[in-house]
Amino acid sequence: MNKLNYFSEKFFFEKILILLIPFLFIFSRFFLEISLIYITISATINIFRNKEFNYLNNNFFLIFIFFYLIILFCYFVKKENFSDESIFFYIRYAFYINSIFFFLLKIRNLDQLFFLSIKISIIVLFIDATFQYLTGKNLFGYTSPASNRMASFFNDEAIMGSFILHFFPLLILQEIEKKKYFQLIFFTIVSGYLIILSGERSSLGLFILLLIISILAFNHLIGLKNIIFILLISISSIVFLISSSSELKERYIYQTFFEMKNFERGINKEFESMKLRDKTLFKNFYIFSGYHNNLFLTSIEFFKSNKITGIGPRGFKNVCKKIATRDENGSLQIDNSRFDLNKHSCNNHPHNYYFQALAEMGLIGLLFLILFYLFLIFKFLSYLFLRSEKTRDNYFLTILIICLINFWPITTTGDFFNNWISIIIYIPFAFYLFGKEKYKNI
């Protein structure tokens, strides 16, 4: 095929933009959104032009619309006096995912090319993060946020581990289907290596959980010898890498223990004077850290003010802006007239999807997330114990594992309404919809 035919290929531009998605996640959120908007407009025009409305009639789209209505309801009935118009545009993620699904069906081998794009992006990060680890600067000259946290091209955001955690599992779809186990082992090792370098402890914990669940689910395909080999290589690599670096050992072992158990130093000492542990579930240690526990307690305080619908979507950040001010000396002051808080209680979000739902959407939002997660568990167990040996069942089992990890409740997370996070956690559903069509007659 010559260059002219390449550019005249139907949906050529849309194809390029979709293949660039992993790289746009790394280099530019702005162009990621612009690209997805263009893809959505193009898909919508084609759907209406050809009257293919069946693309909008799927479980993901309908459930998302229902969730969006819950979000709007909680926003409009909120008692807190703030406005955040960005919540009205949350519906765009449903159209983004539906549009990617549309082009996965329309463009030949787009799914396989997308997996290749993920592999290239991981290799690029591997080269750059390793260079940054060895020299202190990456190929663009960005310094690492800390000596024990490599961020590569993400610069000061330090979310490389989260990127790997969410994109690597999609490779399992391809490798299990194609039975390319050597490539799967290779990218498993590289991904684990990058997550360790990122210093993101929650990402490492979820990555290990992903490996355990995947090995248990696909043991019949991988074989006992390969399972033992993967476990030995993975565990040995993690232990060796962490133990061989004083910075990584400090981050993953000493700092973790310090934040959970040391009550006499740092911010935990302040929490002791506030008797924070008396308010927590566990008295002998903090879940994740004293700081995170404090944010969780803030979520509960906000929830108490309106138990049914919470303080409103994106309310954690907006309410904190109102009650947290600085005096003339620059010291942070918290208005405790309505909430039992302290000077460390406020942040943009509580660092957990479920506590955020509790605070911002009350029992309605939390119940929806819990029921959705229980549904994922039910579907996962159904495929796990009732599956046949067909490729179709392994495909959907993989998607369900990815979703279980993405919405895992016992971990620290980013802001549920953040655009980067919203896109990355919903992308697997595009492949779920694609798989429903791909394996429809199998």
Side-chain angles (χ1 to χ4, degrees), residues 259-263 268 271-272 275-290 292-294 296-297 300 355 410:
E259 291 177 354
M260 292 179 67
K261 287 285 292 181
N262 192 317
F263 309 122
N268 282 357
F271 290 142
E272 283 299 288
K275 300 186 182 302
L276 185 70
R277 278 192 292 153
D278 292 343
K279 303 176 184 178
T280 61
L281 182 62
F282 302 101
K283 308 303 179 186
N284 296 324
F285 64 92
Y286 288 123
I287 302 173
F288 309 124
S289 73
H292 287 101
N293 279 227
N294 198 41
F296 300 158
L297 290 171
I300 294 172
F355 274 106
I410 310 172

Side-chain angles (χ1 to χ4, degrees), residues 336-348:
N336 278 328
S337 59
R338 295 181 54 218
F339 305 105
D340 181 16
L341 306 177
N342 57 67
K343 67 177 183 179
H344 300 294
S345 293
C346 277
N347 199 298
N348 287 336

Side-chain angles (χ1 to χ4, degrees), residues 4 25 67 73 86 107 127 129 158 160 170 200 244 251 258 262 328 361 373 382 416 437:
L4 181 61
F25 265 102
F67 181 49
F73 176 73
S86 65
I107 302 174
I127 294 170
M160 179 177 70
L170 290 172
E200 294 177 49
S244 64
R251 174 67 178 170
F258 176 86
N262 192 317
E328 56 186 17
M361 294 183 287
Y373 199 78
S382 297
F416 187 81
E437 292 298 316

Side-chain angles (χ1 to χ4, degrees), residues 122 161-173 176 184 187-189 191-192 195 201-219 222 227 230-231 234 238 373 380 384 396-408 410-411 428:
I122 291 176
S162 181
F163 172 86
I164 296 295
L165 176 69
H166 288 91
F167 271 108
F168 160 74
L170 290 172
L171 297 182
I172 300 175
L173 283 177
I176 291 294
L184 181 57
F187 280 100
T188 299
I189 295 171
S191 297
I195 289 175
R201 292 168 293 181
S202 59
S203 292
L204 179 60
L206 290 175
F207 181 76
I208 294 172
L209 182 64
L210 170 72
L211 292 183
I212 293 171
I213 295 176
S214 299
I215 288 171
L216 291 175
F218 300 115
N219 65 85
I222 301 172
I227 288 175
I230 292 173
L231 283 175
S234 300
I238 291 171
Y373 199 78
F380 169 75
L384 185 63
F396 290 118
L397 192 58
T398 305
I399 292 288
L400 287 165
I401 292 172
I402 294 171
C403 293
L404 286 173
I405 295 299
N406 285 351
F407 293 93
W408 183 259
I410 310 172
T411 186

